[in-house]
Amino acid sequence: MSPPESVLLRNVVVAGDRLDCRLSGGKVVELGPRIEARSEEGVVEGGGAALLPGLHDHHVHVLAAAAARASLDLRGGPLPAGSAGRGDDDSWLRVVGLGSDHVTRADVDAVWPSRRVRVQHRSGALWILNSPAVRELAGYLDAEERRTGRVWRSRGQWGAALEEMSLGSELAEIGRELGTWGVTGLTDATPDLDGPALDAIRASLPQRVWSLGPGRTHLPRKVVVADHDRNTWDRVHAGVAAARAAGRPVALHAVTRTGLALALAVLEEFGVVRGDRIEHAAVCDDRAADRMAELGLVVVTQPSIAARRGAAMVEEVEPEDRPWLWRLRGLVERGVDVVLSSDAPYGDANPWTSVRLAAVGASGRGSPWVSDQTIEARAALGCYLTAPGDPAGPERSVEVDAPADLCLLDSPLEEALARVVDGRTDAPVRATFIGGVRVGQ
Ligand SMILES: [Zn+2]
């Protein structure tokens, strides 16, 4: 059954006013105190609930999120002992979190002799393929890689193509689930995402998907600042130069103190342009925060990673870095524009989880520094209501002629946020529309 051509949302609250709202042709076409329903039209009764612009997640990795659903996670352990049997499953198996360092193609064959299997080392930097996988990908591999099955990430051009081949149903499921949370748009922050892989994501998800990859867009170009490498300065420099040549701002991934220092130094050399962002800024002291505020840089951060990984990071980092981990309020108070996002699958894809964590912190689980880093729930939600090209800018609004990308809550806004904050709901969402079409059911 095709969806109705127009939908009337009755008795909803838009920016404080109780109104009816008609969606047609992909847009909001009417907003008023009382609109008569047409006979052929779908009607959704709002009952005084808030109608918001659809939520936008400003930093996510869609293919990795789909892959995480289709994976066997070894959680830092060795390969399973013995053979997992021949199996007649024709699909790829993706295994992640391998803790052993010297595994080769022959070891993976011993467990999975017939199915195509790729195993990711827990560092994320190395894949080990079994023989059927090597045969499938032979054209992409050099002689040594074919022999050992070991392919380093820097060589993995096949990665995106492979994910796309094997993840159709997971992608569709992610799109549906995001719909149940009110999400209508995503910015994929995977550095090289473009071409067929991006097309596959767009074809599989109902959400509107932007990419920080190399394609033609006004959004920033993602550049990773990894600090375990002598060539980092040159690589980051080249990445920013390429973005500037294409007329684009940059999104610099910086998770350590040195990574952030390097990112800021490179940006100061080029000069900051509108739209430049720092992703994560997971270790950020006051001096770095003040510098970012002066330069007008936007920080895109993830409370759900702080909650998942924060306690471990407290152990891992240098003691002098501990007070500066995953700051939120501390950055806001120093004048930095901070935007929340998920970084799914590394953080939690549900935006309401991030709103709750931003509002209450995660102090109960060994992350004492998060509890003094909270912000108001309404401000946290606001991060998801801005435009993809201006994450710290004004909130989008529900208005006539705007795209009908909408999130209808199940109650008035303040009540919904109160329930999110005290954990009484995972997502206070009744219905989600993208281009006027209801999704996520
Ligand atoms: Zn990321």
Side-chain angles (χ1 to χ4, degrees):
M1 200 182 85
S2 62
E5 295 202 342
S6 81
V7 177
L8 184 65
L9 308 180
R10 216 171 358 218
N11 198 12
V12 295
V13 174
V14 177
D17 296 324
R18 207 175 251 255
L19 301 170
D20 295 347
C21 175
R22 174 168 284 139
L23 320 179
S24 183
K27 292 183 169 185
V28 175
V29 294
E30 251 186 295
L31 261 181
R34 177 122 192 97
I35 301 173
E36 286 304 321
R38 297 172 184 152
S39 57
E40 79 287 9
E41 168 168 80
V43 176
V44 177
E45 178 55 47
L51 180 65
L52 306 175
L55 277 56
H56 185 91
D57 189 337
H58 294 283
H59 183 135
V60 61
H61 302 274
V62 177
L63 286 176
R69 286 170 175 264
S71 295
L72 168 65
D73 190 348
L74 300 175
R75 298 179 178 278
L79 287 176
S83 169
R86 289 193 63 81
D88 51 5
D89 191 336
D90 201 32
S91 64
W92 276 87
L93 176 64
R94 181 184 195 272
V95 182
V96 299
L98 174 69
S100 331
D101 294 337
H102 304 292
V103 168
T104 66
R105 161 181 174 166
D107 301 316
V108 185
D109 282 346
V111 187
W112 295 283
S114 55
R115 189 177 177 187
R116 289 165 294 172
V117 178
R118 62 193 192 282
V119 181
Q120 188 180 43
H121 186 259
R122 69 175 163 198
S123 66
L126 173 68
W127 285 99
I128 305 111
L129 308 174
N130 73 347
S131 292
V134 166
R135 277 195 291 278
E136 169 106 10
L137 295 168
Y140 299 92
L141 307 174
D142 66 24
E144 181 66 7
E145 288 165 342
R146 288 197 296 272
R147 189 178 70 76
T148 61
R150 289 164 69 90
V151 184
W152 293 89
R153 179 170 57 188
S154 52
R155 280 271 301 118
Q157 277 82 10
W158 47 274
L162 185 62
E163 301 293 16
E164 172 210 332
M165 270 182 239
S166 54
L167 294 172
S169 61
E170 282 80 14
L171 285 171
E173 181 55 22
I174 284 174
R176 191 199 64 76
E177 192 168 59
L178 289 168
T180 66
W181 298 328
V183 176
T184 61
L186 303 168
T187 298
D188 195 303
T190 309
D192 293 315
L193 180 65
D194 195 21
L198 181 57
D199 294 343
I201 293 172
R202 287 178 170 154
S204 305
L205 267 62
Q207 282 77 20
R208 301 182 201 270
V209 180
W210 281 261
S211 168
L212 302 186
R216 284 174 63 83
T217 167
H218 65 291
L219 261 62
R221 177 83 162 90
K222 176 81 173 292
V223 178
V224 174
V225 184
D227 54 11
H228 296 298
D229 187 328
R230 285 179 293 124
N231 302 321
T232 297
W233 173 272
D234 292 341
R235 267 216 305 274
V236 175
H237 203 274
V240 176
R244 294 297 195 252
R248 294 174 62 183
V250 289
L252 299 184
H253 159 111
V255 291
T256 63
R257 176 196 290 270
T258 45
L260 181 57
L262 200 146
L264 295 181
V266 173
L267 277 173
E268 292 195 36
E269 193 177 309
F270 280 91
V272 168
V273 301
R274 191 171 163 75
D276 282 344
R277 340 189 318 195
I278 300 289
E279 312 299 301
H280 316 302
V283 181
C284 181
D285 62 18
D286 283 344
R287 252 184 66 197
D290 291 348
R291 198 70 196 112
M292 288 194 290
E294 263 172 60
L295 292 168
L297 283 166
V298 172
V299 168
V300 178
T301 190
Q302 295 85 23
S304 68
I305 297 189
R308 280 187 191 180
R309 289 267 306 128
M313 281 185 77
V314 168
E315 299 302 316
E316 290 162 13
V317 300
E318 301 296 328
E320 67 265 27
D321 286 348
R322 281 180 195 154
W324 312 121
L325 284 170
W326 293 106
R327 296 169 78 195
L328 187 50
R329 193 201 308 162
L331 301 186
V332 173
E333 284 174 349
R334 298 195 86 85
V336 180
D337 282 330
V338 183
V339 174
L340 308 185
S341 63
S342 73
D343 202 14
Y346 314 107
D348 197 311
N350 181 346
W352 302 99
T353 302
S354 295
V355 168
R356 180 174 55 77
L357 289 166
V360 303
S363 55
R365 284 177 290 161
S367 311
W369 35 267
V370 178
S371 61
D372 66 359
Q373 290 298 324
T374 55
I375 59 174
E376 294 290 329
R378 179 63 187 83
L381 173 62
C383 298
Y384 292 89
L385 302 179
T386 54
D390 192 7
E395 293 183 6
R396 289 165 284 129
S397 53
V398 179
E399 58 188 20
V400 170
D401 276 345
D405 295 0
L406 301 167
C407 169
L408 176 61
L409 298 187
D410 62 7
S411 56
L413 182 56
E414 281 189 15
E415 186 187 321
L417 286 174
R419 283 160 50 231
V420 168
V421 166
D422 57 26
R424 279 178 288 147
T425 177
D426 293 332
V429 176
R430 176 172 304 156
T432 304
F433 299 87
I434 301 177
V437 176
R438 193 162 177 177
V439 301
Q441 291 172 288

